[in-house]
Amino acid sequence: MNKAVAGFSKLSKEEKINWIASAYFSNPENAIQLLKKYWNSDEKLQKLHDEFIENTISNFYIPLGVAPNFLINGKYHTIPMAIEESSVVAAASKSAKFWASRGGFKTTVINTEKIGQVHFIFKGDVSKLELFFVQTKAKFFSETENLTKNMQLRGGGILDITLEDKTILLPNYFQLHATFETKDSMGANFINSCLEQFANILKSEAQAYEIFTEEEKNIEVVMSILSNYVPNCVVRAEVSCPLEELAEKHIPNPEAFAERFVRAVQIAEVEPFRAVTHNKGIMNGIDAVILATGNDFRAVEAGVHAYAAKAGQYSSLSHAKIENGIFSFWLEVPLALGTVGGLTSLHPLVKLSLEMLENPSASELMEIVVVAGLAQNFAALRSLTTTGIQDGHMKMHLNNILNQFEATTEERHLIQKHFKNHVVSHSGVVNFIENLRQKI
C-alpha cells in the first residue's frame, strides 16, 4: 500500500474492514473472519464498544482477572485487574495473602488537588500585569459559577488561581495556575471548561484595562489545559511487621531477607536504570486496576513518572526501612482518578469492576490502586532477593509458549511435569516440544 485513502472516516464499518483486508493482507478473507470473530454477538453491546473510539473495526481483548484477599484498612477486597502480562495477578494475590496475616495494608489519601493552566504571552510591564490579576481574580470565580455550581454542591470546585511568571523559561511567558477539587470525577472536562472560560475572561478584561498599553491589552492565550502532573493529589500505602514475622517457606532468615530487600529498594532510589524497571513493576499493578475501572492509565503513567523525578533525578517510588526490629515498606504516588463519568458509566465490565469493589469513591479507589502497586512491588522484590524473578515468571509464561505451539492436553501434561523440576526457558520448552513430537 503506497497511497493515501480518501474519506476513510466516512466509510461504514464493513467498508473499512474490506478496504484494510484488500490493501494489506495476502488472504483478505482470513483477515475479515478474524476481525469478526472478536465482535460481540450482542449488537447493542457491540455498538456501544464501536462508539468508544473512531474507526472501530473490532474488539481487542485483554484478560480481566481478580486478586483476592487484600486486607486494606481492616477490610477485605477482591481487586479486578485487566492486564496481558503473565504473573502479575498471581504475584499481587500472593502478596495480598502474605500481608493479610501480618496486619494488612494501611492507606492514607494525602491530598486530592488537581491542576489546570492557562498558558499565555504578555508583552509589557509585569508589575501592571500583577496588579491587573489582583483586581481581576474575583471575576475568574464569579464568571464561572455556571460551570462550578454542581461541582460545588458535591463539595468540589475551584480552590485557587495564581499568576505565574515563567519568563525565565521563555520570553513573555506567563500562566494562570489553577487548582481544583473534583470529588468522585476525574474532572478533565470540568477543569478544561473552567480554564477556557478563564482564558476568555483574561482576554476580555485585559482589553478593558485602562492602564495597559495597546500592546499589553493584546494578551495571546496559547492554550488552556489541565495537567496530568498532580503532585498534590497523592495517596500512600504501607505495610509493616516485626522482622521475625517475615519468615515463610522462601524466607528462612527474615533478618537477612529484610536487609537485602531494603538494599534493593535503596539501589532503585539512587540508580535510574534500576528505578525505571522497579517502577514499571509498580505500574503493572496500578495500571491493571486503573484499566479495569475505566480510568486513564496513560495520564496516570505520565504523572507518576514525573513524580518519580521531582527531586531532579528519576528514582524509586517505593521506600523501605528497618527500625527498632520493624520492617516497613511504603509507596506514595499521585493518582487523579474518577468513579463517575467517562467509561465508568458506560463500559459494562468497568461498572462490574466498580461494583466488585463495592462502588468506591474516588479517594477509596486511590487507596485500592496504590495498594495494588505496593503489592506488586513487594512480590517482585521478594522474588528478586530470594528465588530470582524468572522462577515464578517463566512458569507462568509456560502456558503462553504451550498456546503458541498449540500443545495438546497430553503434551501439556508431559511438558508441565518435566518443567516442574527444570528451569523454564523459551528455547528449552521449544526443544522439549520438538523432541516430544519427533518421538510421537
Side-chain angles (χ1 to χ4, degrees):
M1 180 67 187
N2 197 29
K3 63 178 182 179
V5 56
F8 183 77
S9 63
K10 295 181 175 61
L11 299 178
S12 68
K13 184 178 176 180
E14 288 276 1
E15 288 170 337
K16 288 171 185 170
I17 290 172
N18 290 336
W19 178 82
I20 290 169
S22 62
Y24 292 104
F25 294 92
S26 57
N27 190 328
E29 194 56 39
N30 281 356
I32 292 170
Q33 288 179 4
L34 180 61
L35 288 170
K36 291 187 175 181
K37 273 184 181 179
Y38 284 85
W39 289 8
N40 199 293
S41 57
D42 183 327
E43 290 186 9
K44 185 178 179 181
L45 188 58
Q46 183 57 55
K47 186 174 183 294
L48 177 68
H49 282 71
D50 285 347
E51 293 176 353
F52 285 155
I53 62 168
E54 306 78 28
N55 296 338
T56 308
I57 58 173
S58 193
N59 305 314
F60 192 91
Y61 290 177
I62 291 178
L64 177 64
V66 294
N69 302 317
F70 272 92
L71 183 59
I72 305 174
N73 298 333
K75 181 180 178 180
Y76 278 99
H77 295 268
T78 295
I79 298 181
M81 305 180 77
I83 191 167
E84 85 298 340
E85 184 172 331
S86 301
S87 78
V88 171
V89 176
S93 300
K94 193 172 182 180
S95 286
K97 185 177 180 182
F98 181 93
W99 284 107
S101 61
R102 294 165 175 83
F105 297 85
K106 305 296 189 295
T107 62
T108 306
V109 175
I110 297 171
N111 207 335
T112 57
E113 180 183 286
K114 315 287 175 57
I115 292 171
Q117 297 165 323
V118 177
H119 305 268
F120 67 94
I121 303 298
F122 173 80
K123 297 178 181 179
D125 186 333
V126 176
S127 63
K128 287 199 285 184
L129 178 64
E130 290 170 344
L131 181 61
F132 164 76
F133 174 73
V134 170
Q135 294 177 358
T136 309
K137 183 174 179 178
K139 288 192 175 182
F140 292 123
F141 289 88
S142 63
E143 294 187 18
T144 52
E145 286 181 351
N146 60 318
L147 299 173
T148 62
K149 182 179 179 181
N150 289 337
M151 185 65 75
Q152 287 176 336
L153 290 174
R154 300 199 297 271
I158 305 164
L159 300 177
D160 194 16
I161 308 166
T162 60
L163 173 67
E164 302 292 326
D165 184 342
K166 298 288 182 175
T167 53
I168 194 172
L169 304 175
L170 285 173
N172 309 310
Y173 170 38
F174 295 83
Q175 296 173 359
L176 293 182
H177 184 94
T179 51
F180 301 83
E181 171 58 62
T182 61
K183 303 309 288 182
D184 288 337
S185 68
M186 187 274 176
N189 291 332
F190 168 73
I191 292 171
N192 287 335
S193 294
C194 289
L195 293 172
E196 290 182 359
Q197 184 67 1
F198 293 165
N200 292 333
I201 296 165
L202 178 69
K203 290 188 292 185
S204 63
E205 291 299 314
Q207 285 293 321
Y209 196 56
E210 292 183 355
I211 69 170
F212 276 165
T213 66
E214 286 305 310
E215 184 178 37
E216 289 170 337
K217 288 181 179 181
N218 292 320
I219 287 174
E220 178 194 347
V221 172
V222 180
M223 55 186 167
S224 307
I225 185 69
L226 88 163
S227 174
N228 290 128
Y229 183 41
V230 284
N232 292 325
C233 186
V234 177
V235 60
R236 174 188 173 105
E238 58 189 304
V239 288
S240 64
C241 70
L243 286 177
E244 60 271 17
E245 291 184 12
L246 290 170
E248 60 155 13
K249 179 182 177 182
H250 294 299
I251 307 176
N253 186 334
E255 290 83 2
F257 163 76
E259 288 174 1
R260 283 196 305 275
F261 191 103
V262 170
R263 186 68 69 196
V265 174
Q266 289 173 337
I267 289 170
E269 288 174 336
V270 300
E271 171 50 69
F273 283 92
R274 172 58 198 145
V276 169
T277 309
H278 177 94
N279 291 344
K280 185 268 181 185
I282 292 171
M283 299 312 294
N284 278 344
I286 287 176
D287 284 348
V289 187
I290 288 174
L291 193 56
T293 56
N295 278 274
D296 187 345
F297 72 91
R298 284 98 34 198
V300 169
E301 281 272 355
V304 165
H305 293 302
Y307 190 77
K310 66 182 185 299
Q313 175 177 295
Y314 192 88
S315 182
S316 170
L317 291 161
S318 62
H319 308 280
K321 67 178 180 179
I322 301 167
E323 194 170 88
N324 300 322
I326 303 295
F327 169 79
S328 300
F329 181 46
W330 70 96
L331 169 65
E332 287 184 9
V333 287
L335 293 174
L337 304 179
T339 54
V340 298
L343 282 185
T344 61
S345 59
L346 289 174
H347 198 300
L349 286 178
V350 167
K351 290 193 284 187
L352 180 142
S353 294
L354 290 170
E355 187 173 353
M356 188 189 307
L357 293 172
E358 300 181 74
N359 296 312
S361 66
S363 293
E364 289 167 340
L365 183 59
M366 288 170 67
E367 294 175 301
I368 292 165
V369 169
V370 71
V371 163
L374 186 66
Q376 190 63 30
N377 196 212
F378 178 79
L381 291 173
R382 177 174 58 180
S383 293
L384 283 168
T385 55
T386 55
T387 59
I389 199 71
Q390 289 299 85
D391 180 61
H393 180 76
M394 289 308 294
K395 285 183 178 178
M396 291 295 297
H397 188 54
L398 179 59
N399 281 336
N400 289 342
I401 303 173
L402 297 181
N403 288 332
Q404 180 184 344
F405 284 86
E406 298 181 346
T408 65
T409 302
E410 183 181 356
E411 287 173 336
R412 284 175 181 271
H413 175 73
L414 293 171
I415 293 164
Q416 288 169 343
K417 183 178 179 181
H418 174 80
F419 283 101
K420 189 172 184 180
N421 299 309
H422 293 78
V423 174
V424 177
S425 69
H426 189 276
S427 59
V429 176
V430 171
N431 289 336
F432 189 85
I433 291 173
E434 291 174 346
N435 291 334
L436 185 63
R437 288 177 175 175
Q438 285 175 4
K439 291 178 183 178
I440 295 174

